[in-house]
Amino acid sequence: MKGYEYQSEFARKYVAQGRDEGRDEGRAEEAARNLLTVLRVRGIAVPEAVRERILAEREPAQLERWLEKAIVATSVADVIDEPS
């Protein structure tokens, strides 16, 4: 439906909201993959449970903090703060 413009304000609002949510989800997935790439390239082993936690994270600020830590980390424990 490329090029189609919804006529109602209701439809325009919710289509735009869905588009924004999809865009945000894509950015979070990309950030998670980038974090895993940095860890892999640095030779840091990532257990499956931590990998799943990283891929499930949707908060951009958290992913950015983890990425910053990963750049200088020596282990995955230096990156991911496990909840107590």
Side-chain angles (χ1 to χ4, degrees), residues 42 61 72 83:
R42 299 211 54 243
V72 296

Side-chain angles (χ1 to χ4, degrees), residues 23-37 55 58 63 67:
R23 193 173 293 128
D24 291 344
E25 184 176 319
R27 287 182 180 137
E29 289 172 4
E30 180 180 15
R33 284 192 312 270
N34 290 342
L35 172 56
L36 291 170
T37 297
L55 292 171
R58 291 293 172 248
L63 289 162
L67 181 58

